[in-house]
C-alpha cells in the first residue's frame, strides 16, 4: 500500500509560481511510475507530467501546454516528488493530484494508476 500526500497548492496571480509536493510512503521511487494529473471543474482528469522508474530527463513527459513551464522532480532522501509550476495561467486552475503505480513503464492514462493523493487546489487569477 502506497500513501501519497500532496501540499503546496494555493492562490496565485497569472505569471506567478507554485511548487507542489507529494510525500510518498515508499522507501524509494525505484520501481514506481509516478505522475501528476489535474482536474478542473466539469472536466476530465488530465495528465500533466509522468515518468517511469528511471527518472531520467528523457523519460519525463509533459502535457504540451505545460512544457517549458512545469518541471517534475524528486528528492529521494525525503521520499518526495515535486511539480514546479512557473508562468502560471488561469487555465492551469485545477485540483492537482499525484499518482503512483508499481512497474517499469510510463503511464499517461489516469486509470493506469492505483495510488492517488487527496489533491491540492491551485487557483490562478487573471
Amino acid at each position: 500500500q502506497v500513501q501519497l500526500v500532496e501540499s503546496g497548492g494555493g492562490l496565485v496571480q497569472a505569471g506567478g509560481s507554485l511548487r507542489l509536493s507529494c510525500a510518498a510512503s515508499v522507501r524509494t521511487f525505484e520501481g514506481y511510475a509516478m505522475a501528476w494529473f489535474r482536474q478542473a471543474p466539469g472536466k476530465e482528469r488530465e495528465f500533466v507530467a509522468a515518468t517511469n522508474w528511471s527518472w531520467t530527463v528523457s523519460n519525463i513527459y509533459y502535457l504540451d501546454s505545460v512544457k517549458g513551464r512545469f518541471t517534475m522532480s524528486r528528492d529521494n532522501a525525503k521520499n518526495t516528488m515535486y511539480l514546479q509550476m512557473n508562468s502560471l495561467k488561469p487555465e492551469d486552475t485545477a485540483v492537482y493530484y499525484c499518482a503512483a503505480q508499481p512497474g517499469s513503464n510510463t503511464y499517461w492514462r489516469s486509470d493506469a494508476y492505483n495510488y492517488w493523493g487527496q489533491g491540492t487546489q491551485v487557483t490562478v487569477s487573471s
Side-chain angles (χ1 to χ4, degrees):
Q1 188 76 9
V2 178
Q3 293 183 323
L4 304 171
V5 179
E6 298 106 336
S7 61
L11 173 63
V12 64
Q13 288 188 330
S17 297
L18 284 173
R19 188 178 76 160
L20 306 183
S21 299
C22 174
S25 65
V26 295
R27 288 188 302 155
T28 174
F29 288 116
E30 302 297 327
Y32 288 89
M34 304 292 296
W36 288 95
F37 286 81
R38 66 186 181 188
Q39 189 165 18
K43 294 189 176 182
E44 298 276 326
R45 191 165 295 189
E46 174 182 56
F47 155 81
V48 175
T51 186
N52 63 11
W53 62 272
S54 71
W55 280 84
T56 56
V57 171
S58 60
N59 281 314
I60 301 178
Y61 301 93
Y62 297 93
L63 179 68
D64 282 347
S65 63
V66 309
K67 282 180 183 177
R69 300 189 297 122
F70 290 13
T71 303
M72 183 178 180
S73 64
R74 67 175 176 175
D75 184 333
N76 279 329
K78 296 181 179 180
N79 293 335
T80 300
M81 176 173 75
Y82 302 100
L83 185 69
Q84 177 66 44
M85 306 186 296
N86 299 327
S87 303
L88 282 161
K89 304 176 180 180
E91 52 264 42
D92 294 319
T93 295
V95 177
Y96 283 71
Y97 299 89
C98 60
Q101 178 63 24
S104 59
N105 294 328
T106 305
Y107 306 104
W108 289 267
R109 292 173 56 93
S110 60
D111 59 7
Y113 292 87
N114 285 326
Y115 301 106
W116 292 87
Q118 82 285 358
T120 186
Q121 176 71 46
V122 172
T123 303
V124 184
S125 63
S126 57

